[in-house]
Amino acid sequence: MDRLDNTVRPYAWGSTTAIPELLGVEPTGEPQAEMWMGAHPGAPSRTARGTLVEVIEAAPERELGAAAVAKFGPRLSFLLKILAAGAPLSLQVHPDLEQAKEGYADEERRNIPVDAGHRNYKDANHKPELICALTEFDGLCGFRDPLQAADLLDGLGVDSLKPYVDLLHAHPEDAALREVLTAILTADPADMARTVTEAATACTRLGGDYAPYADIAHHHPGDPGVIAAMLLNHVRLQPGEALFLGAGIPHAYLTGLGVEIMANSDNVLRCGLTPKHVDVPELLRIVRFEPSDPGVLRPEAAPDGEEVYETPIDEFRLSRYVLPEGTTAHDLTRPTPQILLCTAGNVRAGEHELTPGRSVFVPAGEKAEVSGAGTVFRATVVA
Protein backbone atom coordinates (compact mmCIF):
# COMPACT_ATOMS: atom_id res chain seq x y z
CA MET A 1 0.00 0.00 0.00
CA ASP A 2 1.51 3.34 -1.11
CA ARG A 3 0.79 6.77 0.33
CA LEU A 4 0.12 9.15 -2.56
CA ASP A 5 1.61 12.60 -2.99
CA ASN A 6 -0.75 14.33 -5.40
CA THR A 7 -0.58 17.37 -7.67
CA VAL A 8 -3.07 20.24 -7.39
CA ARG A 9 -3.88 21.88 -10.74
CA PRO A 10 -4.29 25.70 -10.59
CA TYR A 11 -6.92 26.21 -13.30
CA ALA A 12 -8.48 29.68 -13.34
CA TRP A 13 -11.97 28.44 -12.43
CA GLY A 14 -10.75 26.78 -9.23
CA SER A 15 -11.75 27.83 -5.73
CA THR A 16 -9.03 29.59 -3.74
CA THR A 17 -10.21 28.07 -0.45
CA ALA A 18 -12.04 24.72 -0.82
CA ILE A 19 -9.09 22.35 -1.31
CA PRO A 20 -6.89 24.10 1.31
CA GLU A 21 -9.77 23.89 3.82
CA LEU A 22 -10.18 20.16 3.11
CA LEU A 23 -6.44 19.56 3.53
CA GLY A 24 -6.21 21.78 6.60
CA VAL A 25 -3.58 24.08 5.09
CA GLU A 26 -3.38 27.82 4.51
CA PRO A 27 -4.72 29.07 1.15
CA THR A 28 -2.13 30.51 -1.21
CA GLY A 29 -4.55 33.02 -2.69
CA GLU A 30 -4.30 31.28 -6.06
CA PRO A 31 -7.04 29.07 -7.60
CA GLN A 32 -6.74 25.40 -6.68
CA ALA A 33 -9.05 23.54 -9.03
CA GLU A 34 -8.29 19.81 -9.07
CA MET A 35 -6.17 17.39 -7.09
CA TRP A 36 -5.29 14.38 -9.26
CA MET A 37 -4.91 10.86 -7.87
CA GLY A 38 -3.77 8.19 -10.30
CA ALA A 39 -1.38 7.44 -13.13
CA HIS A 40 -2.28 10.07 -15.69
CA PRO A 41 0.96 11.08 -17.45
CA GLY A 42 0.04 14.77 -17.13
CA ALA A 43 0.33 14.73 -13.34
CA PRO A 44 0.91 11.22 -11.92
CA SER A 45 0.72 10.65 -8.18
CA ARG A 46 4.08 10.15 -6.51
CA THR A 47 4.94 7.30 -4.13
CA ALA A 48 8.04 6.20 -2.24
CA ARG A 49 8.63 3.76 -5.14
CA GLY A 50 8.47 6.45 -7.85
CA THR A 51 5.55 7.93 -9.75
CA LEU A 52 2.49 5.72 -10.01
CA VAL A 53 3.10 5.55 -13.77
CA GLU A 54 6.59 4.14 -13.14
CA VAL A 55 5.35 1.74 -10.47
CA ILE A 56 2.68 0.28 -12.78
CA GLU A 57 4.94 0.15 -15.85
CA ALA A 58 7.52 -1.86 -13.87
CA ALA A 59 5.04 -4.68 -13.07
CA PRO A 60 1.54 -4.14 -14.54
CA GLU A 61 0.04 -7.50 -13.51
CA ARG A 62 1.42 -7.30 -9.98
CA GLU A 63 0.03 -3.77 -9.45
CA LEU A 64 -3.23 -3.98 -11.44
CA GLY A 65 -4.04 -7.70 -11.43
CA ALA A 66 -4.17 -10.03 -14.44
CA ALA A 67 -7.91 -9.49 -15.03
CA ALA A 68 -7.62 -5.68 -15.16
CA VAL A 69 -4.62 -5.84 -17.49
CA ALA A 70 -6.45 -8.25 -19.79
CA LYS A 71 -9.49 -5.97 -19.89
CA PHE A 72 -7.97 -2.46 -19.95
CA GLY A 73 -4.31 -2.94 -20.84
CA PRO A 74 -1.22 -2.30 -18.67
CA ARG A 75 -2.40 1.05 -17.27
CA LEU A 76 -4.69 2.31 -14.55
CA SER A 77 -8.02 2.78 -16.32
CA PHE A 78 -9.34 5.61 -14.13
CA LEU A 79 -8.33 9.00 -12.77
CA LEU A 80 -9.63 10.13 -9.38
CA LYS A 81 -9.85 13.81 -8.49
CA ILE A 82 -10.97 16.24 -5.86
CA LEU A 83 -12.61 19.03 -7.86
CA ALA A 84 -13.20 22.52 -6.43
CA ALA A 85 -15.21 24.80 -8.71
CA GLY A 86 -15.16 28.46 -7.72
CA ALA A 87 -16.48 29.54 -11.15
CA PRO A 88 -18.23 27.74 -14.03
CA LEU A 89 -16.20 25.25 -16.05
CA SER A 90 -16.54 25.02 -19.82
CA LEU A 91 -19.75 23.62 -21.28
CA GLN A 92 -18.60 20.32 -22.78
CA VAL A 93 -19.35 16.83 -24.04
CA HIS A 94 -17.34 13.61 -24.35
CA PRO A 95 -17.28 11.08 -27.22
CA ASP A 96 -18.16 7.42 -26.93
CA LEU A 97 -15.42 4.84 -27.45
CA GLU A 98 -16.03 4.37 -31.19
CA GLN A 99 -16.18 8.13 -31.81
CA ALA A 100 -12.96 8.63 -29.85
CA LYS A 101 -11.14 5.96 -31.85
CA GLU A 102 -12.37 7.43 -35.15
CA GLY A 103 -11.59 11.02 -34.17
CA TYR A 104 -8.13 10.18 -32.85
CA ALA A 105 -7.23 8.16 -35.95
CA ASP A 106 -8.46 10.96 -38.24
CA GLU A 107 -6.40 13.64 -36.48
CA GLU A 108 -3.35 11.36 -36.47
CA ARG A 109 -3.75 10.85 -40.24
CA ARG A 110 -3.91 14.63 -40.68
CA ASN A 111 -0.74 15.06 -38.60
CA ILE A 112 -2.33 17.47 -36.14
CA PRO A 113 0.07 17.79 -33.18
CA VAL A 114 -1.41 16.23 -30.06
CA ASP A 115 -0.81 19.46 -28.13
CA ALA A 116 -2.31 21.73 -30.82
CA GLY A 117 -4.99 24.10 -29.54
CA HIS A 118 -7.44 23.03 -32.25
CA ARG A 119 -7.00 19.29 -31.68
CA ASN A 120 -10.09 17.53 -30.29
CA TYR A 121 -8.83 14.01 -29.56
CA LYS A 122 -5.76 13.55 -27.36
CA ASP A 123 -6.23 9.77 -27.17
CA ALA A 124 -8.45 6.96 -28.50
CA ASN A 125 -10.46 6.46 -25.32
CA HIS A 126 -13.87 7.54 -24.10
CA LYS A 127 -14.32 9.65 -20.96
CA PRO A 128 -17.39 8.75 -18.92
CA GLU A 129 -17.25 10.44 -15.52
CA LEU A 130 -18.96 10.62 -12.15
CA ILE A 131 -19.05 13.60 -9.77
CA CYS A 132 -20.02 13.07 -6.12
CA ALA A 133 -20.72 16.17 -4.03
CA LEU A 134 -18.80 16.81 -0.81
CA THR A 135 -20.55 20.18 -0.39
CA GLU A 136 -23.64 21.56 -2.07
CA PHE A 137 -22.69 21.35 -5.75
CA ASP A 138 -24.28 23.10 -8.75
CA GLY A 139 -24.03 21.85 -12.32
CA LEU A 140 -25.71 21.56 -15.70
CA CYS A 141 -26.48 18.12 -17.11
CA GLY A 142 -28.37 17.05 -20.24
CA PHE A 143 -30.99 18.87 -22.28
CA ARG A 144 -34.19 20.18 -20.78
CA ASP A 145 -37.48 19.41 -22.44
CA PRO A 146 -37.46 21.85 -25.41
CA LEU A 147 -40.74 23.46 -24.31
CA GLN A 148 -39.31 24.11 -20.84
CA ALA A 149 -36.20 25.63 -22.42
CA ALA A 150 -38.45 27.77 -24.64
CA ASP A 151 -40.35 29.05 -21.60
CA LEU A 152 -37.09 29.88 -19.80
CA LEU A 153 -35.74 31.84 -22.77
CA ASP A 154 -39.08 33.52 -23.46
CA GLY A 155 -39.33 34.68 -19.86
CA LEU A 156 -36.27 36.88 -20.32
CA GLY A 157 -38.14 39.21 -22.65
CA VAL A 158 -35.16 39.54 -25.02
CA ASP A 159 -36.34 40.08 -28.60
CA SER A 160 -33.28 38.46 -30.23
CA LEU A 161 -34.09 35.19 -28.43
CA LYS A 162 -37.55 34.90 -30.02
CA PRO A 163 -36.30 32.89 -33.05
CA TYR A 164 -34.80 30.31 -30.68
CA VAL A 165 -38.06 30.14 -28.72
CA ASP A 166 -39.97 29.48 -31.94
CA LEU A 167 -37.49 26.78 -33.03
CA LEU A 168 -37.83 24.99 -29.69
CA HIS A 169 -41.55 24.56 -30.33
CA ALA A 170 -40.84 22.65 -33.55
CA HIS A 171 -40.88 18.85 -33.91
CA PRO A 172 -39.23 16.43 -33.59
CA GLU A 173 -37.51 17.38 -30.34
CA ASP A 174 -34.02 16.23 -31.34
CA ALA A 175 -34.12 18.32 -34.52
CA ALA A 176 -35.33 21.36 -32.57
CA LEU A 177 -32.50 21.08 -30.04
CA ARG A 178 -29.92 20.54 -32.76
CA GLU A 179 -31.11 23.53 -34.77
CA VAL A 180 -31.15 25.86 -31.77
CA LEU A 181 -27.71 24.87 -30.49
CA THR A 182 -26.30 25.20 -34.01
CA ALA A 183 -27.85 28.65 -34.37
CA ILE A 184 -26.44 29.80 -31.01
CA LEU A 185 -22.91 28.61 -31.74
CA THR A 186 -22.79 29.95 -35.31
CA ALA A 187 -24.43 33.33 -34.68
CA ASP A 188 -22.55 36.53 -35.49
CA PRO A 189 -20.25 37.07 -32.49
CA ALA A 190 -21.12 40.76 -32.06
CA ASP A 191 -24.85 40.09 -32.26
CA MET A 192 -24.58 37.20 -29.83
CA ALA A 193 -22.54 39.27 -27.38
CA ARG A 194 -25.35 41.85 -27.31
CA THR A 195 -27.94 39.13 -26.80
CA VAL A 196 -25.95 37.63 -23.93
CA THR A 197 -25.59 41.04 -22.30
CA GLU A 198 -29.35 41.65 -22.47
CA ALA A 199 -30.08 38.13 -21.23
CA ALA A 200 -27.64 38.53 -18.32
CA THR A 201 -29.28 41.78 -17.25
CA ALA A 202 -32.69 40.09 -17.32
CA CYS A 203 -31.38 37.08 -15.35
CA THR A 204 -30.01 39.37 -12.64
CA ARG A 205 -33.32 41.25 -12.45
CA LEU A 206 -35.49 38.13 -12.35
CA GLY A 207 -33.37 35.98 -9.98
CA GLY A 208 -34.83 32.64 -8.86
CA ASP A 209 -34.41 30.02 -11.60
CA TYR A 210 -32.46 32.60 -13.62
CA ALA A 211 -29.84 33.31 -10.93
CA PRO A 212 -27.36 30.58 -12.02
CA TYR A 213 -27.23 32.03 -15.54
CA ALA A 214 -26.55 35.53 -14.22
CA ASP A 215 -23.51 34.12 -12.44
CA ILE A 216 -22.40 32.21 -15.55
CA ALA A 217 -22.66 35.42 -17.60
CA HIS A 218 -20.70 37.33 -14.96
CA HIS A 219 -17.78 34.93 -15.42
CA HIS A 220 -18.18 34.60 -19.22
CA PRO A 221 -19.52 37.92 -20.55
CA GLY A 222 -20.73 37.77 -24.14
CA ASP A 223 -20.10 34.02 -24.47
CA PRO A 224 -22.71 32.12 -26.54
CA GLY A 225 -22.38 29.32 -23.99
CA VAL A 226 -24.48 31.43 -21.61
CA ILE A 227 -27.50 30.96 -23.88
CA ALA A 228 -26.60 27.34 -24.65
CA ALA A 229 -26.48 26.68 -20.89
CA MET A 230 -30.15 27.62 -20.61
CA LEU A 231 -31.02 24.64 -22.81
CA LEU A 232 -29.70 22.29 -20.09
CA ASN A 233 -31.03 21.02 -16.78
CA HIS A 234 -29.75 22.90 -13.75
CA VAL A 235 -28.91 20.46 -10.91
CA ARG A 236 -28.06 21.15 -7.28
CA LEU A 237 -26.49 18.14 -5.56
CA GLN A 238 -26.48 17.73 -1.81
CA PRO A 239 -23.44 16.13 -0.12
CA GLY A 240 -23.30 12.43 -0.98
CA GLU A 241 -25.36 12.79 -4.17
CA ALA A 242 -23.75 12.23 -7.57
CA LEU A 243 -24.16 12.60 -11.33
CA PHE A 244 -22.99 10.14 -13.97
CA LEU A 245 -22.07 11.80 -17.27
CA GLY A 246 -22.01 9.42 -20.19
CA ALA A 247 -21.03 9.97 -23.81
CA GLY A 248 -22.79 12.72 -25.72
CA ILE A 249 -24.36 14.41 -22.67
CA PRO A 250 -23.63 18.16 -22.55
CA HIS A 251 -22.69 19.32 -19.08
CA ALA A 252 -20.82 21.88 -16.99
CA TYR A 253 -19.88 22.16 -13.34
CA LEU A 254 -20.68 25.54 -11.76
CA THR A 255 -19.71 25.69 -8.08
CA GLY A 256 -18.87 23.32 -5.24
CA LEU A 257 -16.46 20.68 -3.98
CA GLY A 258 -16.69 17.07 -5.08
CA VAL A 259 -14.94 13.76 -5.71
CA GLU A 260 -14.72 13.07 -9.44
CA ILE A 261 -13.73 9.85 -11.17
CA MET A 262 -13.38 9.28 -14.89
CA ALA A 263 -11.95 7.00 -17.51
CA ASN A 264 -8.32 7.93 -18.09
CA SER A 265 -8.81 10.21 -21.13
CA ASP A 266 -8.42 13.87 -22.15
CA ASN A 267 -11.08 13.90 -24.88
CA VAL A 268 -13.32 16.97 -24.54
CA LEU A 269 -15.50 18.73 -27.12
CA ARG A 270 -16.37 22.23 -25.87
CA CYS A 271 -19.66 24.03 -26.48
CA GLY A 272 -18.87 27.37 -24.81
CA LEU A 273 -17.95 29.16 -21.57
CA THR A 274 -14.33 28.95 -22.63
CA PRO A 275 -11.70 30.84 -24.65
CA LYS A 276 -10.53 27.47 -26.00
CA HIS A 277 -11.28 25.97 -29.40
CA VAL A 278 -14.92 25.12 -30.21
CA ASP A 279 -15.22 22.77 -33.21
CA VAL A 280 -18.91 23.18 -34.01
CA PRO A 281 -19.24 20.49 -36.74
CA GLU A 282 -17.47 17.85 -34.63
CA LEU A 283 -19.40 18.89 -31.55
CA LEU A 284 -22.71 18.45 -33.37
CA ARG A 285 -21.59 14.94 -34.42
CA ILE A 286 -20.96 13.95 -30.80
CA VAL A 287 -23.85 15.55 -28.88
CA ARG A 288 -26.92 13.43 -28.11
CA PHE A 289 -29.82 15.74 -28.89
CA GLU A 290 -32.43 14.28 -26.59
CA PRO A 291 -34.10 15.65 -23.46
CA SER A 292 -33.11 13.72 -20.36
CA ASP A 293 -33.54 13.69 -16.62
CA PRO A 294 -30.20 14.43 -14.92
CA GLY A 295 -30.57 11.21 -12.93
CA VAL A 296 -29.19 12.17 -9.52
CA LEU A 297 -27.46 9.12 -7.99
CA ARG A 298 -27.56 8.18 -4.35
CA PRO A 299 -25.31 5.38 -3.10
CA GLU A 300 -26.73 1.91 -2.60
CA ALA A 301 -25.72 0.36 0.72
CA ALA A 302 -24.30 -3.16 0.90
CA PRO A 303 -24.42 -5.31 4.07
CA ASP A 304 -20.73 -4.67 4.83
CA GLY A 305 -21.28 -0.91 4.93
CA GLU A 306 -19.98 -0.14 1.45
CA GLU A 307 -22.14 2.45 -0.37
CA VAL A 308 -21.81 2.03 -4.14
CA TYR A 309 -22.50 4.57 -6.89
CA GLU A 310 -23.79 2.33 -9.65
CA THR A 311 -22.72 3.21 -13.22
CA PRO A 312 -22.96 1.33 -16.54
CA ILE A 313 -19.22 1.21 -17.27
CA ASP A 314 -16.31 -0.90 -16.02
CA GLU A 315 -13.29 1.45 -16.19
CA PHE A 316 -14.13 2.72 -12.73
CA ARG A 317 -16.23 1.88 -9.71
CA LEU A 318 -16.71 4.46 -6.94
CA SER A 319 -18.02 3.72 -3.46
CA ARG A 320 -17.68 5.10 0.04
CA TYR A 321 -17.54 3.94 3.64
CA VAL A 322 -18.86 6.18 6.40
CA LEU A 323 -17.12 4.84 9.50
CA PRO A 324 -18.64 5.78 12.88
CA GLU A 325 -16.59 6.22 16.03
CA GLY A 326 -15.37 2.89 17.35
CA THR A 327 -15.47 1.12 13.99
CA THR A 328 -13.36 -2.03 13.92
CA ALA A 329 -11.26 -2.84 10.86
CA HIS A 330 -13.05 -3.22 7.51
CA ASP A 331 -11.38 -5.57 5.05
CA LEU A 332 -11.33 -3.84 1.64
CA THR A 333 -9.02 -6.32 -0.09
CA ARG A 334 -9.88 -6.79 -3.80
CA PRO A 335 -8.29 -8.53 -6.80
CA THR A 336 -8.26 -5.16 -8.59
CA PRO A 337 -6.24 -1.95 -8.00
CA GLN A 338 -7.68 0.61 -5.59
CA ILE A 339 -7.22 4.19 -4.48
CA LEU A 340 -8.58 4.96 -1.01
CA LEU A 341 -9.31 8.64 -0.29
CA CYS A 342 -10.26 10.10 3.08
CA THR A 343 -12.64 13.08 2.91
CA ALA A 344 -13.63 13.43 6.58
CA GLY A 345 -12.39 12.37 10.02
CA ASN A 346 -9.27 10.36 10.72
CA VAL A 347 -8.89 6.92 9.19
CA ARG A 348 -6.17 4.30 9.27
CA ALA A 349 -5.49 2.39 6.04
CA GLY A 350 -2.95 -0.33 6.67
CA GLU A 351 0.04 1.47 8.18
CA HIS A 352 -1.06 4.88 6.93
CA GLU A 353 -2.99 7.54 8.84
CA LEU A 354 -5.36 9.35 6.47
CA THR A 355 -6.79 12.78 7.19
CA PRO A 356 -9.10 14.65 4.76
CA GLY A 357 -7.64 14.87 1.28
CA ARG A 358 -5.02 12.14 1.86
CA SER A 359 -4.98 8.93 -0.16
CA VAL A 360 -3.23 5.61 -0.77
CA PHE A 361 -2.83 3.26 -3.74
CA VAL A 362 -3.53 -0.41 -3.01
CA PRO A 363 -2.14 -2.91 -5.57
CA ALA A 364 -4.45 -5.70 -6.74
CA GLY A 365 -4.85 -8.40 -4.09
CA GLU A 366 -2.92 -6.45 -1.47
CA LYS A 367 -4.46 -6.67 2.00
CA ALA A 368 -6.39 -3.46 2.70
CA GLU A 369 -7.99 -2.80 6.07
CA VAL A 370 -9.44 0.54 7.17
CA SER A 371 -10.49 1.61 10.64
CA GLY A 372 -11.15 4.77 12.59
CA ALA A 373 -13.92 7.37 12.32
CA GLY A 374 -14.48 9.19 9.04
CA THR A 375 -15.39 8.87 5.38
CA VAL A 376 -13.36 6.89 2.86
CA PHE A 377 -13.99 6.82 -0.90
CA ARG A 378 -12.85 3.72 -2.72
CA ALA A 379 -11.98 3.91 -6.43
CA THR A 380 -11.39 0.67 -8.31
CA VAL A 381 -12.40 -1.13 -11.53
CA VAL A 382 -14.81 -3.88 -12.60
CA ALA A 383 -12.72 -6.69 -14.05
Side-chain angles (χ1 to χ4, degrees), residues 12-334:
W13 48 262
S15 167
T16 58
T17 59
I19 289 178
E21 286 178 2
L22 181 73
L23 296 174
V25 300
E26 286 296 316
T28 64
E30 298 299 317
Q32 297 191 32
E34 296 180 347
M35 186 169 75
W36 288 20
M37 291 157 280
H40 191 287
S45 297
R46 297 170 295 279
T47 78
R49 297 189 284 158
T51 71
L52 198 52
V53 169
E54 293 166 342
V55 167
I56 291 170
E57 285 180 345
E61 289 201 1
R62 184 183 69 200
E63 303 298 332
L64 305 178
V69 171
K71 194 166 187 177
F72 306 114
R75 64 188 185 93
L76 191 63
S77 62
F78 65 83
L79 176 63
L80 184 67
K81 300 179 180 180
I82 291 175
L83 183 146
L89 282 67
S90 62
L91 189 60
Q92 59 187 252
V93 69
H94 306 303
D96 63 26
L97 188 55
E98 183 177 346
Q99 291 165 337
K101 288 178 178 178
E102 290 174 353
Y104 180 77
D106 175 64
E107 291 185 328
E108 287 289 280
R109 279 194 301 270
R110 292 190 283 139
N111 295 316
I112 300 175
V114 74
D115 58 352
H118 64 288
R119 176 142 182 168
N120 296 314
Y121 298 95
K122 305 298 173 63
D123 52 68
N125 200 17
H126 62 165
K127 193 186 177 188
E129 59 190 40
L130 178 79
I131 183 77
C132 178
L134 294 178
T135 65
E136 195 168 72
F137 194 98
D138 277 26
L140 305 171
C141 180
F143 285 109
R144 297 175 185 266
D145 178 279
L147 296 183
Q148 293 176 355
D151 289 344
L152 194 69
L153 292 175
D154 199 31
L156 292 171
V158 175
D159 288 342
S160 54
L161 293 175
K162 296 294 185 185
Y164 303 146
V165 172
D166 292 341
L167 286 171
L168 287 166
H169 283 92
H171 291 284
E173 291 181 333
D174 59 345
L177 290 168
R178 176 183 288 273
E179 194 164 351
V180 172
L181 184 62
T182 303
I184 291 169
L185 297 180
T186 58
D188 178 81
D191 289 344
M192 178 53 68
R194 284 190 290 272
T195 296
V196 172
T197 299
E198 289 183 48
T201 300
C203 286
T204 301
R205 183 184 72 252
L206 293 166
D209 289 344
Y210 291 97
Y213 307 101
D215 185 63
I216 292 170
H218 170 73
H219 289 284
H220 297 279
D223 193 304
V226 175
I227 306 302
M230 299 183 75
L231 303 177
L232 307 186
N233 298 295
H234 174 249
V235 186
R236 177 162 292 162
L237 300 177
Q238 297 305 312
E241 294 180 335
L243 286 175
F244 174 72
L245 301 158
I249 304 298
H251 61 276
Y253 302 146
L254 303 179
T255 59
L257 181 70
V259 173
E260 184 183 36
I261 189 168
M262 61 188 63
N264 209 347
S265 169
D266 277 335
N267 288 327
V268 175
L269 280 298
R270 294 176 176 84
C271 317
L273 309 182
T274 178
K276 295 182 179 179
H277 177 59
V278 177
D279 184 336
V280 175
E282 185 65 10
L283 172 72
L284 298 176
R285 187 178 80 89
I286 299 303
V287 171
R288 290 170 53 187
F289 288 98
E290 55 188 49
S292 61
D293 184 283
V296 174
L297 295 177
R298 295 171 183 85
E300 298 188 14
D304 67 350
E306 184 182 28
E307 299 177 335
V308 182
Y309 294 90
E310 296 288 353
T311 64
I313 53 94
D314 293 343
E315 280 88 345
F316 61 76
R317 177 183 184 272
L318 186 71
S319 61
R320 69 174 185 177
Y321 289 83
V322 180
L323 307 176
E325 192 72 45
T327 298
T328 55
H330 272 63
D331 186 1
L332 272 59
T333 306
R334 283 180 66 94

